[in-house]
Amino acid sequence: MGVSETFKALAAPERRKILDLLKHGKLSAGEISKQFEMSAATISYHLTVLKKADLVTESKYKNYVYYELNTSVVEEVMMWFTELKEGK
Amino acid sequence: MGVSETFKALAAPERRKILDLLKHGKLSAGEISKQFEMSAATISYHLTVLKKADLVTESKYKNYVYYELNTSVVEEVMMWFTELKEGK
DNA sequence: AACCTATTTAGAATTTTATCTAAATAGGTT
DNA sequence: AACCTATTTAGATAAAATTCTAAATAGGTT
């Protein structure tokens, strides 16, 4: 829930790719997993990191787990950058 | 020189604090170091990380090394966020 | 040259991350 | 209930990041 977790989450290309995939809407863990070479367990790990950083939210339907981009945290980090740039 | 390096560099609170210190102008490695409990060697390490991420630039004067914020990379990362948010 | 101050580099120890396989859990369907 | 599919958790291993102390380098001053 802190800025460190957010940046840490964004530091891995795999996780940024996941966010990119989610730009156009919800996807299940499996649908996300298919876009990578890594094991489903590893993708699950990356999804957990993104979830802890509040960059995605999850919802369940049947035996699927859907992930969705959480743009409010993106706003928060943009704010951080703006303040850095403006020397506030 | 990549987005990963930038985010990785920003993920540590010590390094974000260094950037904050540099918001109002150049500081030498020693002046920065004084603001932390850590050894000068460790701060030097963090400065190297920031330098590799292009978040700071360095210049030498006498036996001092001055560090300065590099705002152009900040712009670049803001762009990345904007595209994520706008779903481009 | 000898010395002093500032900073970085080297090497070691510790912690954190990332990945895999195998097993566990959860929800349907037959 | 038995089974199948989707996903996560556990445990192990390997790699990367963080920190320290001690030594090396760089630039002045005396």
Side-chain angles (χ1 to χ4, degrees), chain A residues 35-51:
Chain A
Q35 308 297 316
F36 293 86
E37 305 288 288
M38 289 172 281
S39 75
T42 298
I43 295 302
S44 179
Y45 161 74
H46 285 304
L47 287 169
T48 301
V49 174
L50 289 169
K51 203 168 45 182

Side-chain angles (χ1 to χ4, degrees), chain A:
Chain A
M1 252 255 209
V3 187
S4 291
E5 278 65 36
T6 307
F7 283 130
K8 209 174 285 179
L10 291 166
E14 304 81 19
R15 290 192 289 257
R16 291 199 305 279
K17 182 173 168 183
I18 291 174
L19 296 179
D20 268 345
L21 292 171
L22 294 176
K23 280 197 301 199
H24 300 109
K26 288 184 191 191
L27 288 174
S28 72
E31 288 168 327
I32 294 167
S33 192
K34 260 187 295 186
Q35 308 297 316
F36 293 86
E37 305 288 288
M38 289 172 281
S39 75
T42 298
I43 295 302
S44 179
Y45 161 74
H46 285 304
L47 287 169
T48 301
V49 174
L50 289 169
K51 203 168 45 182
K52 278 187 190 158
D54 244 11
L55 283 162
V56 301
T57 56
E58 79 174 20
S59 55
K60 293 174 189 190
Y61 175 67
K62 291 190 173 174
N63 52 342
Y64 300 90
V65 180
Y66 286 91
Y67 287 91
E68 188 170 9
L69 196 59
N70 178 12
T71 47
S72 70
V73 174
V74 172
E75 297 284 354
E76 216 178 281
V77 180
M78 294 263 292
M79 196 90 105
W80 187 89
F81 274 109
T82 305
E83 284 177 18
L84 181 71
K85 215 183 34 161
E86 289 175 359
K88 225 175 77 181

Side-chain angles (χ1 to χ4, degrees), chain B residues 19-58:
Chain B
L19 296 179
D20 267 346
L21 292 170
L22 294 175
K23 281 197 301 197
H24 301 108
K26 286 184 195 197
L27 289 174
S28 72
E31 288 168 326
I32 294 167
S33 192
K34 260 187 296 185
Q35 308 297 318
F36 293 87
E37 305 289 287
M38 290 171 280
S39 74
T42 297
I43 296 301
S44 179
Y45 160 73
H46 286 303
L47 287 168
T48 302
V49 174
L50 289 169
K51 201 168 47 182
K52 278 186 189 159
D54 244 12
L55 283 162
V56 302
T57 56
E58 79 174 22

Side-chain angles (χ1 to χ4, degrees), chain B residues 35-83:
Chain B
Q35 308 297 318
F36 293 87
E37 305 289 287
M38 290 171 280
S39 74
T42 297
I43 296 301
S44 179
Y45 160 73
H46 286 303
L47 287 168
T48 302
V49 174
L50 289 169
K51 201 168 47 182
K52 278 186 189 159
D54 244 12
L55 283 162
V56 302
T57 56
E58 79 174 22
S59 56
K60 293 173 190 190
Y61 174 66
K62 291 191 174 174
N63 53 342
Y64 299 90
V65 180
Y66 287 91
Y67 287 91
E68 188 170 11
L69 196 59
N70 178 12
T71 47
S72 69
V73 174
V74 173
E75 298 284 354
E76 216 177 283
V77 180
M78 293 264 288
M79 196 89 104
W80 186 88
F81 274 110
T82 305
E83 284 178 18

